[in-house]
Amino acid sequence: DAGVIQSPRHEVTEMGQEVTLRCKPISGHDYLFWYRQTMMRGLELLIYFNNNVPIDDSGMPEDRFSAKMPNASFSTLKIQPSEPRDSAVYFCASRSGGGLSYGYTFGSGTRLTVV
Amino acid sequence: GNSVTQMEGPVTLSEEAFLTINCTYTATGYPSLFWYVQYPGEGLQLLLKATKADDKGSNKGFEATYRKETTSFHLEKGSVQVSDSAVYFCALSDRSGYSTLTFGKGTMLLVSP
């Protein structure tokens, strides 16, 4: 199993541009989570899906952020327009439904820098 | 709501020293408890877990015991190595239908030779 795959690993973009982050969860996992990590705020849950359906997006900072999961093997997190304060490491994680005691499997993250 | 409190870092130790990273939690019911480790430039990896009171999770020489009476899950290792230098996150997952992980802010461990 290749684990949770995120792309790109690094993204540098100019303020105002659209940014799309991608995630491929582990096959068979029916929960997918997007987290943001910064020095100031630590790990923040942005949104999560169950069986491709968004369950809780209360952590999405504002309307500039959107996330989709068109199928069980792919999810995107989009920021439009991007701002310097969006600079962070964005992690995707997945979990199987019965995995309450198994925790999550995280991807390696996308380091986003908005200049 | 759920919350996890960890000791602030960095924790700086010499190789072979004893490690304790404190973690306390607030949750309704009986959550599952986890320790994750993040090495530089990588994602979080599950280190160990415990799913009920008095359970001890262990892995790679690290241990943590689920103490319901003190709502704690302290991470310990008897002899740290330079390769243990990383950020350690305590987390909990409650038992509601759509449970999510609540993380502490992380504790950086720096081990010098």
Side-chain angles (χ1 to χ4, degrees):
Chain A
D1 193 333
V4 176
I5 299 172
Q6 292 187 246
S7 64
R9 286 298 307 272
H10 302 275
E11 177 79 39
V12 180
T13 190
E14 292 185 347
M15 182 173 61
Q17 296 297 305
E18 177 180 296
V19 175
T20 299
L21 312 181
R22 297 172 175 80
C23 175
K24 176 179 168 55
I26 289 176
S27 177
H29 281 191
D30 53 356
Y31 282 83
L32 184 139
F33 306 83
W34 283 101
Y35 280 86
R36 179 172 67 176
Q37 185 180 37
T38 61
M39 289 293 292
M40 291 297 293
R41 302 171 71 95
L43 273 167
E44 302 173 276
L45 177 63
L46 301 178
I47 184 171
Y48 74 97
F49 298 82
N50 177 224
N51 291 322
N52 313 336
V53 176
I55 302 301
D56 185 352
D57 65 355
S58 60
M60 297 285 261
E62 47 199 275
D63 291 346
R64 298 184 297 106
F65 286 69
S66 62
K68 295 182 180 179
M69 192 165 186
N71 56 62
S73 59
F74 184 66
S75 177
T76 60
L77 177 67
K78 184 178 293 186
I79 308 172
Q80 166 64 14
S82 58
E83 296 182 3
R85 60 194 168 120
D86 302 330
S87 297
V89 181
Y90 291 82
F91 288 104
C92 176
S94 70
R95 190 193 89 192
S96 67
L100 178 64
S101 64
Y102 292 96
Y104 300 176
T105 301
F106 280 79
S108 297
T110 295
R111 181 175 295 277
L112 173 65
T113 303
V114 183
V115 299
Chain B
N2 297 336
S3 68
V4 175
T5 302
Q6 292 181 235
M7 59 189 292
E8 289 200 21
V11 173
T12 304
L13 295 173
S14 298
E15 206 165 24
E16 300 184 2
F18 184 86
L19 168 71
T20 300
I21 300 178
N22 291 336
C23 171
T24 57
Y25 67 89
T26 302
T28 54
Y30 303 93
S32 291
L33 301 174
F34 305 85
W35 276 101
Y36 281 80
V37 59
Q38 183 180 29
Y39 298 102
E42 298 184 12
L44 281 72
Q45 303 173 26
L46 179 62
L47 180 60
L48 54 84
K49 61 175 169 56
T51 58
K52 61 183 187 296
D54 300 325
D55 267 2
K56 177 184 285 188
S58 61
N59 186 26
K60 299 181 181 179
F62 290 89
E63 294 183 339
T65 301
Y66 188 162
R67 301 287 189 198
K68 183 174 180 296
E69 63 276 13
T70 55
T71 62
S72 64
F73 193 55
H74 304 323
L75 182 69
E76 297 181 336
K77 186 175 185 183
S79 176
V80 294
Q81 305 300 312
V82 172
S83 58
D84 294 326
S85 298
V87 181
Y88 293 81
F89 292 88
C90 185
L92 71 82
S93 179
D94 67 27
R95 295 178 183 277
S96 62
Y98 289 121
S99 69
T100 60
L101 277 176
T102 300
F103 286 93
K105 290 190 178 299
T107 302
M108 178 177 287
L109 170 65
L110 299 172
V111 181
S112 57

